[in-house]
Amino acid sequence: MTDNARVRPVINRLSTAEPDFDARLETLLAWEGVSSTEVQQRVDEIIAAVRRRGDAALVELSNRLDRLAVGSMAELTLGPARLRQAYDGLPAEQREALAAAAERIRVYHEHQKPGSWQYTEADGTVLGQQVTALDRAGIYVPGGKAAYPSSVLMNAIPAHVAGVREIVMVVPTPDGVLNELVLAAAHLAGVDHVFTLGGAQAVAALAYGTETVPRVDKIVGPGNIYVATAKRAVFGQVGIDMIAGPSEILVVSDGGTDPDWLAMDLFSQAEHDEDAQAILVTWDGAHADTVAASIESLLPTMERQAIIAESLAARGALIVCRDRGEAAALINRIAPEHLELSLADPGSWLGEIRHAGAIFMGRYTAEALGDYCAGPNHVLPTSGTARFSSPLGVYDFQKRSSIINCSADGASALGRTASVLARGESLTAHARSAEYRIKP
Amino acid sequence: MTDNARVRPVINRLSTAEPDFDARLETLLAWEGVSSTEVQQRVDEIIAAVRRRGDAALVELSNRLDRLAVGSMAELTLGPARLRQAYDGLPAEQREALAAAAERIRVYHEHQKPGSWQYTEADGTVLGQQVTALDRAGIYVPGGKAAYPSSVLMNAIPAHVAGVREIVMVVPTPDGVLNELVLAAAHLAGVDHVFTLGGAQAVAALAYGTETVPRVDKIVGPGNIYVATAKRAVFGQVGIDMIAGPSEILVVSDGGTDPDWLAMDLFSQAEHDEDAQAILVTWDGAHADTVAASIESLLPTMERQAIIAESLAARGALIVCRDRGEAAALINRIAPEHLELSLADPGSWLGEIRHAGAIFMGRYTAEALGDYCAGPNHVLPTSGTARFSSPLGVYDFQKRSSIINCSADGASALGRTASVLARGESLTAHARSAEYRIKP
């Protein structure tokens, strides 16, 4: 099998013992979602058009870019009744699976709700933090072949749990194609309105508002390069979530998991698109060979074989390392979006893992379970951004306000300190404002 | 006084009863921190130069833009001993005030530390969330006249409390001028290294790393338009905090606070720069007149009179509204960075306030106390972004990982749901990966 793999590299084979390991890994991991100047200019024009001409621009752009023939925004608007109708119209099995997933996602996210807090100091001064929800959230859902009802649940339910007053969803309908499962998911997730808009024009409408589309406070959800570029451009006017790169998984195996299971777990990542990245790390070289064999024998049976094959050949890897310590170091270096610990004792690894979007523990916890219905969010930091960012959560739809309530004694004491520091910064109005509160 | 104010509008006077109130308020609040194409191109060039040539580019750019004459990065690097020396060299009064402020800020931020959590379901499946700190944070501190030691404390202490392993600070030294108070604050706040770099080149160095400057995971701190543009450009490669606009305060007064105190509170905001915004709202028209009188009589006594006068004339306002309800609505519409509730019973307002960066409650709680030493952070969302963002905090230097550990029974049940949903999305590798875990 190893010989066979060398002849036809279905998936890259790396070993930490090779002198060029670091460079090869770096090359495999490299990803930069750059917007060309053309995309940037196009997006700037679209945003300017939507800000200037509102609904009229949305209708024109949607007709042109999504090949529609609508006359007004009314034809691009779906209300709650239409969403409920989509849900009611689903086959029972799909309706029940969607409802079961939504309920588990809701329960998990309820655990993320933080409380407001306060504490009182000896002189009566009160300090604290008040947590409030966003007024209005915008959910971008890709249309066409990548329209995923699970993404609707994962983006909208945390907003709903957070207490957002109004959840607005946009989803493009290229050539007029509507996905009933997506609308049904919107119904379940508590979405208030849907506009069948996409691209930079949908992002601009949500960020600035039009006659029909209400301005939101934050825009979340994945999209193509136009959507990502538009989100970056409107950041500051509204909040945004991370700008997502291709999806990835790092599987760490101790050699005890069925190699077919592991091959399929890698495929489940690779089937997303050609840029998706599936990597397995093990310190058992023979096990790496058996996984490679499973990959080769299962690949021809896959519906999305072409995408999987391209993804594995371009960005996939089986990495043999020396020991558990090297595997842990690789985890933190890669900071994977999905980390699958296919191991006898995954719990003992948790303390060493500093960077990972979601950690799937044990041989039974396939990433696919988390993608749909385990409960935690499937919107996760990609391309190493788990170094500094988190899964989408209730906290993304809330914000905090600091609370400061000084007693007369507290203000007098703080006033002395503030006065010295303000004068050190030559900000004398600050100093005098503080000094007014100092007791004589 | 009202007549006098009309003749010489030291500060804008608005009333919610006027028919053009909405339009006038909108105009006053309008702010957009746009980067010109020139700035954007210049920043792109600087980032490309630092990525390509590392330290050499940093030395060249610093010599050119900050008018220095250094030969290597060693001359732009300050270690812990130099920071400690700055602290030890301060006059006792400043040293003690800085230490007192740092300790209060530390104590407040300790309250923000979230815990990791887990829960176990009936079938033994464990779900949870693990909180970890960033490995490395970068703090941008403006140099020159706007070099504020308090900003060093407010940016670095939350990172330190969060458990960040390494805190790197950059501060430009135009014409070679170093601010000892800033270095002393860095010592107190737990900064590990300081590089005397500024502008887009400092942001690029932190985002991508050079031979000398370590790559960080997140960059926080205010800066000019070049810094803001560079932060927006590197967002995704690293995390960033909000892109700050000019500072603002909204004071709500019930008429019972000394008008001189209120005038000085407005001045303390206005003295930051000409774009800063100071607004007072009251339903007591006579009180608005007495505050206007205080403004006029105190203004000539201020060291930063010219800046204050320009800020108040251009962006300041005294607004008379009908009643308490209108005042509360104005708070939520403006979503102020600083909200001062100069009222007899500020506690009764808290439940109605949906959007504000920090809430200063009662007549004694001057914003200046919060700016320096009350404890909560003074890095706050500006320009209405309190609608969707929060004060800088410990949470900005931590991230979460989802934990999913399915029991064999749990995986079997979840596998059925996941399989139905994955097939609904035509992702059959996902479905088969889940189906492997279904018990026969």
Side-chain angles (χ1 to χ4, degrees):
Chain A
M1 262 311 137
T2 309
D3 284 344
N4 189 5
R6 264 189 220 119
V7 176
R8 191 170 64 86
V10 173
I11 186 165
N12 301 285
R13 299 289 295 264
L14 279 71
S15 161
T16 57
E18 290 162 9
D20 62 347
F21 172 74
D22 279 338
R24 283 189 69 197
L25 180 62
E26 215 50 55
T27 306
L28 265 181
L29 296 177
W31 180 265
E32 212 165 351
V34 273
S35 310
S36 67
T37 312
E38 291 90 307
V39 170
Q40 194 105 40
Q41 281 176 356
R42 191 75 201 94
V43 165
D44 287 346
E45 285 165 20
I46 289 173
I47 293 173
V50 172
R51 292 186 69 177
R52 204 168 48 237
R53 298 189 298 111
D55 283 355
L58 292 178
V59 167
E60 270 174 40
L61 288 161
S62 298
N63 283 340
R64 175 144 48 89
L65 300 170
D66 289 335
R67 298 165 301 279
L68 307 180
V70 301
S72 76
M73 275 301 295
E75 294 172 69
L76 298 174
T77 307
L78 306 175
R82 177 67 184 84
L83 306 184
R84 153 140 240 137
Q85 178 197 326
Y87 180 70
D88 291 340
L90 289 185
E93 189 187 48
Q94 281 191 336
R95 198 169 58 230
E96 283 155 23
L98 211 54
E103 176 59 14
R104 290 190 60 88
I105 296 165
R106 195 191 59 70
V107 169
Y108 178 85
H109 286 81
E110 286 284 350
H111 284 83
Q112 291 182 330
K113 285 178 86 163
S116 299
W117 50 265
Q118 292 194 344
Y119 61 98
T120 305
E121 300 186 302
D123 62 21
T125 294
V126 175
L127 300 175
Q129 195 171 268
Q130 173 162 298
V131 180
T132 48
L134 271 59
D135 280 350
R136 211 182 268 135
I139 314 281
Y140 189 98
V141 177
K145 59 176 177 153
Y148 294 140
S150 57
S151 290
V152 176
L153 299 184
M154 293 291 184
N155 279 279
I157 290 174
H160 201 250
V161 170
V164 171
R165 295 179 168 205
E166 191 176 348
I167 303 173
V168 180
M169 185 174 118
V170 292
V171 56
T173 53
D175 301 305
V177 177
L178 258 174
N179 182 323
E180 293 294 312
L181 267 165
V182 162
L183 300 186
H187 166 73
L188 267 178
V191 169
D192 293 288
H193 315 284
V194 172
F195 297 100
T196 53
L197 299 166
Q201 59 274 23
V203 173
L206 291 172
Y208 294 99
T210 69
E211 302 91 313
T212 306
V213 180
R215 181 185 83 154
V216 304
D217 300 305
K218 185 162 187 170
I219 302 173
V220 301
N224 64 19
I225 188 70
Y226 288 90
V227 173
T229 305
K231 280 169 69 181
R232 188 184 291 269
V234 300
F235 170 58
Q237 167 67 22
V238 293
I240 63 170
D241 60 348
M242 278 310 288
I243 292 169
S247 193
E248 6 110 18
I249 192 171
L250 177 64
V251 180
V252 181
S253 171
D254 60 7
T257 306
D258 184 326
D260 282 359
W261 291 23
L262 295 171
M264 197 59 73
D265 294 353
L266 297 173
F267 289 175
S268 76
Q269 196 58 54
E271 76 173 336
H272 274 293
D273 63 77
E274 292 81 354
D275 293 324
Q277 183 155 58
I279 298 179
L280 180 136
V281 174
T282 182
W283 48 90
D284 180 339
H287 176 62
D289 292 340
T290 61
V291 173
S294 287
I295 288 174
E296 297 206 29
S297 70
L298 287 169
L299 185 53
T301 73
M302 302 308 300
E303 282 84 350
R304 295 166 74 93
Q305 181 187 351
I307 295 171
I308 296 170
E310 176 56 29
S311 159
L312 294 183
R315 304 201 72 221
L318 301 179
I319 302 178
V320 176
C321 63
R322 288 188 185 85
D323 52 27
R324 178 197 154 124
E326 272 196 354
L330 274 170
I331 292 170
N332 288 322
R333 171 163 173 194
I334 295 174
E337 181 190 12
H338 303 96
L339 172 63
E340 202 172 290
L341 298 175
S342 207
L343 303 158
D345 184 20
S348 72
W349 286 62
L350 272 190
E352 291 166 71
I353 298 169
R354 299 204 308 282
H355 315 300
I359 308 172
F360 298 81
M361 299 168 66
R363 311 193 196 287
Y364 288 100
T365 313
E367 189 214 303
L369 305 182
D371 286 343
Y372 290 105
C373 55
N377 212 287
H378 80 192
V379 180
L380 296 165
T382 58
S383 307
T385 58
R387 290 184 293 121
F388 54 84
S389 50
S390 301
L392 191 72
V394 168
Y395 35 81
D396 285 300
F397 298 98
Q398 294 181 323
K399 62 263 173 11
R400 305 161 180 95
S401 301
S402 304
I403 304 285
I404 313 175
N405 193 345
C406 291
S407 65
D409 285 346
S412 185
L414 292 176
R416 288 175 213 281
T417 302
S419 164
V420 171
L421 295 174
R423 291 188 182 277
E425 295 182 352
S426 303
L427 293 176
T428 48
H430 283 70
R432 290 173 64 180
S433 166
E435 287 156 11
Y436 275 140
R437 275 80 174 184
I438 299 177
K439 291 188 170 179
Chain B
M1 259 314 135
T2 309
D3 283 344
N4 190 4
R6 264 191 220 118
V7 176
R8 190 170 64 88
V10 172
I11 186 164
N12 301 286
R13 298 289 296 263
L14 278 71
S15 162
T16 57
E18 290 162 9
D20 63 347
F21 172 75
D22 279 338
R24 283 189 69 196
L25 180 64
E26 215 49 57
T27 306
L28 265 180
L29 297 177
W31 180 265
E32 211 165 352
V34 273
S35 310
S36 66
T37 312
E38 292 91 304
V39 170
Q40 193 105 41
Q41 280 177 356
R42 191 75 200 92
V43 165
D44 287 346
E45 284 164 21
I46 289 173
I47 293 173
V50 172
R51 291 186 68 176
R52 206 168 46 236
R53 298 189 298 112
D55 284 354
L58 292 178
V59 167
E60 271 174 39
L61 288 161
S62 299
N63 283 338
R64 174 144 48 89
L65 300 170
D66 289 336
R67 298 165 302 280
L68 308 179
V70 301
S72 76
M73 274 302 294
E75 294 172 68
L76 298 175
T77 306
L78 305 176
R82 178 65 185 84
L83 306 185
R84 158 143 231 131
Q85 179 196 324
Y87 179 69
D88 291 340
L90 289 186
E93 190 187 49
Q94 282 192 336
R95 198 170 58 231
E96 283 155 22
L98 211 54
E103 176 59 13
R104 290 189 60 88
I105 296 165
R106 194 191 59 70
V107 168
Y108 178 85
H109 286 81
E110 286 284 352
H111 283 84
Q112 290 181 331
K113 285 179 86 164
S116 300
W117 50 264
Q118 292 194 344
Y119 62 97
T120 305
E121 300 186 301
D123 62 21
T125 294
V126 175
L127 300 174
Q129 194 171 267
Q130 173 162 298
V131 179
T132 48
L134 271 59
D135 280 350
R136 211 183 268 134
I139 314 281
Y140 189 98
V141 177
K145 59 175 179 154
Y148 294 141
S150 56
S151 290
V152 177
L153 299 183
M154 294 291 183
N155 279 279
I157 289 174
H160 201 249
V161 170
V164 170
R165 295 179 168 205
E166 192 176 347
I167 303 174
V168 180
M169 184 174 118
V170 292
V171 57
T173 53
D175 301 305
V177 177
L178 258 174
N179 182 323
E180 293 294 311
L181 266 165
V182 162
L183 300 185
H187 166 73
L188 266 177
V191 170
D192 293 288
H193 315 285
V194 172
F195 298 100
T196 53
L197 298 166
Q201 60 272 24
V203 174
L206 292 173
Y208 292 99
T210 69
E211 302 92 312
T212 305
V213 180
R215 180 185 83 155
V216 304
D217 301 305
K218 185 163 188 169
I219 302 173
V220 301
N224 63 19
I225 188 70
Y226 288 91
V227 173
T229 305
K231 279 169 70 181
R232 188 185 290 270
V234 300
F235 170 59
Q237 166 67 20
V238 293
I240 62 170
D241 60 349
M242 278 310 287
I243 292 168
S247 193
E248 6 110 18
I249 192 171
L250 177 64
V251 180
V252 180
S253 172
D254 61 6
T257 306
D258 184 327
D260 282 358
W261 291 23
L262 295 170
M264 198 59 73
D265 294 353
L266 297 173
F267 289 175
S268 76
Q269 195 58 53
E271 76 172 338
H272 274 295
D273 64 75
E274 292 82 353
D275 293 324
Q277 183 154 58
I279 298 178
L280 180 136
V281 175
T282 183
W283 48 92
D284 179 339
H287 176 62
D289 292 341
T290 61
V291 173
S294 287
I295 289 173
E296 296 205 30
S297 71
L298 287 169
L299 185 54
T301 73
M302 302 308 300
E303 282 85 349
R304 294 165 76 91
Q305 182 187 350
I307 295 171
I308 296 170
E310 175 57 27
S311 158
L312 293 183
R315 305 201 71 221
L318 302 180
I319 302 177
V320 176
C321 63
R322 287 188 186 84
D323 52 28
R324 179 199 152 123
E326 272 196 355
L330 274 170
I331 292 170
N332 288 322
R333 170 163 172 194
I334 295 174
E337 181 191 13
H338 304 97
L339 172 63
E340 204 173 287
L341 297 176
S342 208
L343 304 159
D345 184 19
S348 72
W349 287 61
L350 272 190
E352 289 166 71
I353 298 168
R354 299 204 309 282
H355 314 302
I359 307 172
F360 298 80
M361 299 168 66
R363 312 194 195 287
Y364 288 101
T365 313
E367 188 214 304
L369 305 181
D371 286 343
Y372 290 106
C373 55
N377 212 287
H378 80 193
V379 180
L380 296 165
T382 57
S383 307
T385 58
R387 290 185 292 121
F388 53 84
S389 50
S390 301
L392 191 72
V394 168
Y395 35 79
D396 285 299
F397 298 99
Q398 295 183 320
K399 62 264 173 9
R400 306 162 180 94
S401 301
S402 304
I403 303 285
I404 312 174
N405 193 343
C406 290
S407 66
D409 285 346
S412 185
L414 291 176
R416 288 175 212 280
T417 302
S419 164
V420 171
L421 295 174
R423 291 188 182 277
E425 295 182 353
S426 303
L427 293 176
T428 47
H430 283 70
R432 290 172 64 179
S433 166
E435 287 155 11
Y436 275 142
R437 274 80 172 183
I438 299 177
K439 291 186 168 179

